Structures are given as structure tokens and as C-alpha cells.
Amino acid sequence: MAFKYNSQLVLGFGYASLLSIYYLKVAAINRKEQQRCVHISIQDENEKQKESTKEEAKIFYMSTHRNQKIMDNAIGLHIQPWAYTNSHFSSMLSQFRFSPFLIHGKIATRRIDKIKSSTGCFIEIETFDPINNAGDDTLPIVILLHGVGGSSKEVYIEQTTIQIIKRGWKVVVLNYSMVSIGNEGSVAGGNCLTDSHDINLLVSHLRNKYPKRKFLFCIGFSMGGAKLAQYLIRTGEACDIDAACTVSSPLDFTRDNDTVHEPHGNMITTFYHLLVSSHLKLWVLKHYNTLRKHELVRSTGPFKNPISALSFLFTHLSVPEIDRVITMPLKGRSEHELNSYYLEASLLRKLGDPNGVKVPLLTITSKNDPFIPIRILPSKKLCETNQNLFIVNTLYGGHIGYYRPEVGCWATNAAVSFFDSVRKNITSRELCRHKSSLEAAFKLQRSSTTGLTNYFDFLDLDPDHSCSDLLHTINVSC
């Protein structure tokens, strides 16, 4: 145990030192820009927005009657995106600052719950209920998925929660980084890009617990958006979410993604790769004792003894190396399958498949995102074959960097406006609401590439109907 905390201290000190140096550099770069922003009047800013709206945000979608209704009423998408022009400053500002709840006060009650699977492992969620609308059980629920190694305590998650809570909607954050080991090697949580068991368990739980809340939406940030897109594509028509949004989510993990595969590229790429790998190492340290309980993970290098763990912290510097020794065995896969794992996690081309995403999906990505190369941004061509895609590529925004202190997060406003338009203008039949999480589990099981996860174990259903419904689902789908 002493080893664990000493390692966290050493890594944390180095991590803090890097961030401090980078903050000084970013502050110097942005001093002039901040001074300019302070002196710009509101009137001049509004005039500038009107002139540059078309240049700073490109919106693509298939021109159908349904889609036009959605876009006409999604007011937030027609507002000029606000973000600092320097991508590094905006990215850091949105993720490294004080909790916004310190400013807004107690506007919601929050509690942490654990939802158990039939194998004994569990997922962790944090629920936020608005104080002003606590008695209204018909308003929508929004699920939030954080980025790699994060939690519901992330600043951008709390900022998004506050903006949604002010509408009176309930917010549920899935802490998918929390790892739980169950019977027979079953695992809940973790940073696996291709596993959607935790999302489907949460969706089935919410549908079962809140039957009066007709609409269920989801926003995924960064890696959380990649996990969300995986769930939407693999479940197809059985998806039990009504609409979704990804923000700053990389949807390609092949060699085209420099942040993942080029740890020794230019200075910018190297820094952000180090940032991601540091998050993953901190996650390993946090869940060290839990991960050691897994039979396949226990035999890997970092978990053999304290010396090998220290060696892992200082020698495994790249994301693929960490995935090879942690993610792959945790999901029962060989380390030699790493390339196929990244290929399976890459969804950029799959988004355009008309048989893939079957609910309205909004993707928001910035062209100056330091984590996502321009060549792997979602393009207009994808919308030509899938009517459920709404692609927004902005000129500025960095990585989840659509925040400004005086106005909040633009991406959150756009997503909530999009969801509100969907629920007001799209009928239940158009949303394919006759499907369920049970059939989604069947589709996930059938498309699974590992035998370690049984998706039927990750469902929260009415015990009086689950068995008969399961048999019916299997008969119909087969």
C-alpha cells in the first residue's frame, strides 16, 4: 500500500510540474488575446459574430423534412460558437479550473449510486436532481460520459451539469473509469473503447426506474463520445437512447491519429500524448488493488511486484504500450490484438453506414483541436448516406474548449437545444421507441469480439418479465 501512495506522489509531482510549465507558456501566448477580449464591447462582438458565423461553424446534415424540423428549432446551433482562438488556452481553461458549483451554489442535489450486475460487479453513477423541479418526473434525463480516466468531478462535466440543471432536467453521470471485478472474470467499467456493457446497464436501469420520463439523451466528451458512438452503432435500431451528442471525440484510432500513435512527434503532439498517458497511469494507480484481482491482469508486468510497477510508470510512455499491458488482458484479449482493437474502435467510416446509427446524433468537433488531427474530422460525405447524422465542425474550440466564463459552454447549449428540438418535433414512431435495452444487449452480444463479457448480465430489468422477454428477443432476432 505504501508503494501505491509513493508512486502517486512522484507521478503527481512530475505531472504538476509539466502542467505548471505549460500554463506559463500558454499564459504568455494568450496575454494579448485576453487583453483584446476584455476591451471588445458587446455590440462589436455581436457584429463580428454575424459576419463570421458561416466561417467559424460548418453544419452538415441530410436535407429531409424531419431533419429540417430539428434544425429549424435547435436555436443553440445557430448561435455563433464562442471560444478563445488559441486552442491550448481554451482546452486547459475548460478542464483545469475551480469547480463551477462554487460559483453557482447549491442548485442541485447529488448522490453516488452503484448499479450491480448479475455477476457481482457494478458500475458507479452520480445523479444530479434540480432543486427547483424536484417533483416533476416527466422531464428528460441526460446521461454524461467523461473523458479518459475522468469522473463526475471533472470541471467540464460539472459545467455541463449546471447548464442542463437550469432547464430542470435530471443529469446522470456514468463514472465508467471506476473498475469492478465480478465472478468468473467479469469486469465492469474501465477505459476500453469497444465495450458498451456499462452504457447499456445504465440505460436499462434508467428506463426501468423512471418510466414516466419519456426522453433519454446522452452527451459523450472526448473518449466518452467514442464509447457512446460505439454503443449507437452496435445497437442500431435497438438503441434505447432518443438522441445523442459527441463533443471533441476522436472517432479514428488508427495510425492517422497522431495523439495516440506518435508519442515522439512535434512538441505539441508529444505534450498531449504525455497528458493522455499520464491520465491512464494515474487511473492504473488509483485502481491498482482492484486490477490485481483480475486473473489475466495480475500476471502482467505492472502487477507482478512493486519494482515492475515502478518500471511500468517510467518506461511505458505511450498510450499503445499501456493499452497492450492493461486494456487488452482486462478484456480477455491478447496483446497481439492491439491493432485490431484500435481498428474496431475506429468508427469514422462506420458513421456513414445507413444501418448503423438509428437515432439523431450530433457531433461537435473543432478544427483546432490539439487531440484530433483535421484529417480525421467527421466530414459532409458521411451525412449523404445516414440521415441521422448532424455534423458540426467549428473553426475554434480546442479540446472541449467551448467555455467562456461569462457565457458558459457553447457545445452544451448546442447539444441541449438539439435534444429539446428532437423531443418537441419528432414522434415516438420516428424514434423507433418500440425497441428496448434487452434487444440492445442481444445486438451487443452478437457483435462482441471477446467472450469475456456477457451483455445479458449487464441489464436492470423487471424480474417478472426479463426471462420471457429474453426468450422472445432471441427468437425474433434470430
Side-chain angles (χ1 to χ4, degrees), residues 30-265:
N30 288 277
R31 189 175 294 112
K32 291 184 179 180
E33 180 180 355
Q34 292 180 56
Q35 293 173 350
R36 178 182 62 81
C37 291
V38 170
H39 292 93
I40 291 180
S41 66
I42 296 178
Q43 183 177 359
D44 292 339
E45 187 70 17
N46 288 338
E47 290 177 359
K48 180 182 177 182
Q49 288 178 0
K50 291 179 181 179
E51 293 175 358
S52 59
T53 298
K54 293 184 179 180
E55 296 180 0
E56 294 196 11
K58 299 289 186 181
I59 304 177
F60 307 116
Y61 59 93
M62 185 183 293
S63 182
T64 64
H65 177 67
R66 186 204 71 163
N67 289 352
Q68 200 59 53
K69 286 195 300 181
I70 294 176
M71 290 303 301
D72 288 345
N73 293 277
I75 301 174
L77 283 171
H78 301 292
I79 298 176
Q80 173 67 31
W82 56 75
Y84 294 105
T85 56
N86 187 281
S87 63
H88 312 299
F89 178 76
S90 60
S91 299
M92 294 301 171
L93 179 65
S94 294
Q95 301 180 61
F96 299 101
R97 53 190 173 86
F98 292 111
S99 169
F101 279 106
L102 295 177
I103 300 175
H104 293 272
K106 189 174 179 60
I107 63 174
T109 59
R110 52 193 302 178
R111 70 179 186 276
I112 295 179
D113 299 304
K114 292 179 173 60
I115 306 173
K116 286 189 176 182
S117 71
S118 60
T119 61
C121 53
F122 61 85
I123 61 172
E124 181 182 277
I125 64 173
E126 183 161 9
T127 304
F128 296 80
D129 285 299
I131 293 177
N132 295 335
N133 296 78
D136 192 341
D137 60 353
T138 61
L139 292 174
I141 301 175
V142 181
I143 299 172
L144 300 183
L145 305 177
H146 54 73
V148 59
S151 71
S152 54
K153 302 298 190 295
E154 302 297 322
V155 173
Y156 58 89
I157 291 291
E158 292 189 338
Q159 179 65 45
T160 299
T161 298
I162 287 173
Q163 292 179 222
I164 296 175
I165 286 294
K166 287 183 176 180
R167 282 180 170 260
W169 297 6
K170 179 191 288 288
V171 174
V172 179
V173 183
L174 172 60
N175 290 326
Y176 65 80
S177 287
M178 174 66 69
V179 180
S180 173
I181 308 298
N183 303 325
E184 299 178 356
S186 64
V187 181
N191 291 303
C192 181
L193 290 163
T194 60
D195 204 344
S196 306
H197 67 283
D198 42 9
I199 299 179
N200 202 50
L201 176 56
L202 175 57
V203 170
S204 65
H205 170 76
L206 295 176
R207 289 296 191 192
N208 191 33
K209 187 174 181 180
Y210 305 102
K212 292 184 179 180
R213 294 184 183 264
K214 301 298 183 183
F215 290 93
L216 181 60
F217 304 119
C218 187
I219 304 177
F221 294 90
S222 192
M223 176 179 164
K227 284 177 65 70
L228 173 59
Q230 186 81 216
Y231 170 80
L232 298 176
I233 291 174
R234 289 177 61 190
T235 55
E237 291 184 348
C239 174
D240 210 10
I241 294 176
D242 297 305
C245 173
T246 65
V247 179
S248 301
S249 297
L251 300 176
D252 190 328
F253 294 90
T254 61
R255 288 285 176 181
D256 289 333
N257 192 328
D258 296 337
T259 307
V260 173
H261 294 282
E262 295 295 334
H264 306 296

